[in-house]
Amino acid sequence: MYVKVSYRGSPVAGMRVTHPLGCRIFFGEVPEQGKLTPDEQERLFGSRHLMQLCLPQPASAQARLHSMWCLLDTMQRGIVLEVQNNDIFATRLCHAVVFWGSPGHDGHTCELQQGVKTKIFNYQAFLNIYRAYQDPVRNGIAGEPPSYEVLLGVGQPWSSERIKDNNLLTISVTHCLAETLMETLHRYRWENNCPFDTDYLMIDPLLEDDRKAIACMNSHPSQALMASASNPHAGAIPQPVLSLDEADEFLGTTNLPSVDSLNIPFSPAGQV
């Protein structure tokens, strides 16, 4: 997984988590070894073997600086993120209330209870939505693609009215395998000209006769008309409209139906 930290919408830190136990995101100093018993260390700060991501100090010119410092002071114990069986779990150790949710769920958030290990990303649920999103025509399902990202709002929730970029501290957690699946699907669709948000149009490729007829029409319209008459398999070509004089010359007037009964808009003589 990949973790990115933002202060008021601006990225300030990031880390790819490769350790099987996960990572701890915190502010302050790492406890010195030997000052705590192993049980106290585990309960207060998580395993010492976790990767450690220390939050940076805010810039002195940052807006709402006092509130930012107060929030960071509550993050000394931090938040632990783990990956188990491709699912992502979060354990809130800090005193600040932490909210979590998906970026595309209309601002709906859940609260992490302190000391409770909570699944924040369900990989199997992602796969179920991904498989349906892969082929919306066959599955009869259309809509938003599955999200491979989870947001953590520290001390502040977000909603459709409150933009998450206004939050003092936001942590983005990306499931790298799920992200790779979505990027691969998007690249495949892009390379094969498959639309995403539009209707699928199932059209056969042009036959060689169609290509010749179109090319002939664009260069020599009169030749294209002759080619269409001699080749019934070519694409449909609009036929010329005869004038009254031309119709009388080629067809004769005997048994010729009236113009009104034919309902054909004849053009003036000499024009085709």
Side-chain angles (χ1 to χ4, degrees), residues 37-47 77 91 93 115:
T37 66
D39 290 341
E40 289 176 332
Q41 167 72 36
E42 187 82 21
R43 178 176 59 85
L44 294 175
F45 301 100
S47 172
R77 293 179 60 187
T91 304
L93 302 176

Side-chain angles (χ1 to χ4, degrees), residues 89-201:
F89 293 84
T91 304
R92 169 195 157 205
L93 302 176
C94 62
H95 296 294
V97 178
V98 178
F99 301 88
W100 67 276
S102 173
H105 284 180
D106 298 327
H108 175 71
T109 58
C110 303
E111 182 179 332
L112 285 178
Q113 300 298 320
Q114 189 175 30
V116 178
K117 186 176 179 177
T118 305
K119 183 187 292 188
I120 61 174
F121 184 88
N122 188 319
Y123 183 65
Q124 187 58 52
F126 167 86
L127 284 181
N128 293 338
I129 303 175
Y130 172 81
R131 292 189 181 103
Y133 181 73
Q134 253 185 320
D135 193 349
V137 173
R138 177 179 301 175
N139 296 305
I141 298 174
E144 294 293 326
S147 176
Y148 49 79
E149 181 186 13
V150 180
L151 296 180
L152 304 178
V154 181
Q156 298 169 300
W158 68 92
S159 65
S160 55
E161 292 80 19
R162 178 186 178 85
I163 302 175
K164 60 182 180 297
D165 288 345
N166 289 335
N167 283 14
L168 292 175
L169 173 55
T170 303
I171 301 171
S172 168
V173 184
T174 298
H175 193 289
C176 295
L177 178 57
E179 180 185 28
T180 301
L181 287 175
M182 289 303 300
E183 288 181 348
T184 302
L185 176 60
H186 288 173
R187 184 166 56 251
Y188 172 81
R189 287 184 169 181
W190 177 265
E191 292 174 352
N192 291 274
N193 297 322
C194 296
F196 287 94
D197 300 326
T198 58
D199 295 331
Y200 281 84
L201 300 178

Side-chain angles (χ1 to χ4, degrees), residues 25-26 30 32-33 49 81 95 99 102 162 185 201 213 233:
I25 306 168
F26 70 101
V30 177
E32 294 183 16
Q33 191 170 3
H49 302 292
L81 297 174
H95 296 294
F99 301 88
S102 173
R162 178 186 178 85
L185 176 60
L201 300 178
H233 299 290

